Amino acid sequence: MARVYNFSAGPAVLPESVLQSAAAEMMDYNGSGMSVMEMSHRSKTYQKIIDTAEADLRELMGIPDNYKVLFLQGGASTQFAMIPMNLMKNRVADYIITGQWAKKAWQEGNIYGQANAVASSADKTFSYIPDCSDLPISENADYVYICENNTIYGTKFHQLPDTKGKPLVADVSSCFLSEPVDVSKYGMIYGGAQKNIGPAGVVIAIIREDLITEDTLPGTPTMLKYHIHRDNGSMYNTPPAYGIYICGKVFQWLKEQGGLEAMQAYNKKKAAILYDFLDASEMFRGTVVKKDRSLMNVPFVTDSEELNAAFIAQATQAGFVNLKGHRTVGGMRASIYNAMPTEGVEKLVSFMEAFEKNNR
């Protein structure tokens, strides 16, 4: 069977060359006589895999020396608790709520201290990013938290909030490595790998060294302490070894594409194909305020639930899969991450044009 165009929000499309390379090494990695899946994480061979992955990520993002890179487990959702357990020294933090995941992080933060919602776009179904230029930042806040790209709602912070000197913590799960980033503007950047980097099961956290201390909240489990993972080179326990190996291959692929500047240009060009069609269409429309649109996740609807359902069914038959929107928004959503080829977006738009013509 031919490969489909996979518009899933995550787990999501991976570069074909990465999959082919992994397939070629499945039975025998680099003359070791075994798969990376079977390999001891304590071996010299695996140590080289994780070290190379970190070095390539540092190079791609220009990560300063005073930031640690941790390969963790538990999905981004575990970070909703791990962040306050490790960073909420004053038991106060400010959250900007621009979607489901930021809301869940804020709710989790409230278990450990006072999590203040200092801005929200819930009033318009998270279809925009609120003005964050002069927020009521709490004087004793330990950090300000955002979800930088909102997978479900298709919004993106194109300008970071003014945190008034407080460390910015950002969940970048669905825009990770899609564009250049100034890491020094953040106290912590983290994200699940399964949207733009690798298979589900790996979380990458990039944390400023001074924020990683042994002073965690009482009762914090050993496995949820950042300093434990830092001190053990992300191998306090068995890491998601195969997932990290695939992430490493994606980092190498990104370097081959020309790095994050090249990816940003590619992603802008690719997203414009779909957004330009939506703006001109009489049947389909985007659901996000134009200036806040994501390059990664594009939600769109028709004016009829029946048409939405018919479109999704016919698109799936035609090989455009996972276009159904999140249940909280409905309609459709095309996730067009780094590994989605331009051809996939062009063919989707051609299919949408034909559907619109046939259903006028």
Side-chain angles (χ1 to χ4, degrees), residues 89-270:
K89 315 294 187 193
N90 298 322
R91 301 283 183 124
V92 179
D94 291 346
Y95 285 72
I96 299 167
I97 301 174
T98 51
Q100 293 286 97
W101 303 115
K103 185 179 177 183
K104 287 186 175 184
W106 166 68
Q107 288 168 336
E108 196 79 8
N110 268 308
I111 296 171
Y112 301 98
Q114 183 184 330
N116 304 307
V118 292
S120 171
S121 54
D123 61 326
K124 293 184 179 172
T125 324
F126 302 120
S127 59
Y128 71 102
I129 297 292
D131 179 2
C132 297
S133 58
D134 187 20
L135 297 169
I137 302 295
S138 310
E139 213 172 292
N140 56 343
D142 292 298
Y143 56 85
V144 177
Y145 183 100
I146 62 170
C147 181
E148 193 163 323
N149 188 92
N150 296 282
T151 321
I152 294 173
Y153 300 96
T155 57
K156 167 80 163 67
F157 280 84
H158 294 295
Q159 189 172 347
L160 295 177
D162 180 356
T163 64
K164 300 181 178 175
K166 304 298 183 185
L168 177 64
V169 174
D171 174 354
V172 296
S173 294
S174 53
C175 60
F176 225 153
L177 302 183
S178 64
E179 61 185 10
V181 58
D182 182 352
V183 175
S184 68
K185 289 184 175 177
Y186 303 80
M188 173 179 175
I189 306 181
Y190 80 92
Q194 72 275 12
K195 298 175 184 294
N196 218 20
I197 300 177
V202 183
V203 174
I204 300 169
I206 301 158
I207 313 174
R208 207 173 67 212
E209 249 174 359
D210 62 291
L211 297 177
I212 304 175
T213 70
E214 295 184 17
D215 177 24
T216 56
L217 295 189
T220 299
T222 302
M223 265 298 288
L224 299 186
K225 294 178 178 179
Y226 291 135
H227 74 90
I228 293 291
H229 296 283
R230 175 201 62 193
D231 295 346
N232 289 277
S234 296
M235 287 202 263
Y236 172 71
N237 69 330
T238 309
Y242 194 80
I244 294 167
Y245 153 77
I246 299 290
C247 290
K249 285 193 175 295
V250 172
F251 302 154
Q252 288 166 4
W253 176 80
L254 284 165
K255 286 168 68 176
E256 289 162 13
Q257 306 311 302
L260 302 191
E261 286 81 4
M263 286 315 302
Q264 182 181 42
Y266 176 63
N267 287 327
K268 280 184 173 178
K269 182 181 164 190
K270 198 167 52 174

Side-chain angles (χ1 to χ4, degrees), residues 51-83:
D51 288 347
T52 302
E54 179 177 339
D56 286 341
L57 179 62
R58 284 186 174 277
E59 184 184 333
L60 279 166
M61 294 181 73
I63 299 173
D65 291 343
N66 64 323
Y67 283 74
K68 292 294 183 188
V69 174
L70 306 178
F71 294 98
L72 305 170
Q73 301 178 64
S77 297
T78 297
Q79 294 305 308
F80 299 166
M82 206 165 168
I83 288 161

Side-chain angles (χ1 to χ4, degrees), residues 124 127-129 154-155 158 286-294:
K124 293 184 179 172
S127 59
Y128 71 102
I129 297 292
T155 57
H158 294 295
T287 59
V288 172
V289 170
K290 276 190 186 182
K291 69 178 178 64
D292 298 327
R293 284 171 165 174
S294 165

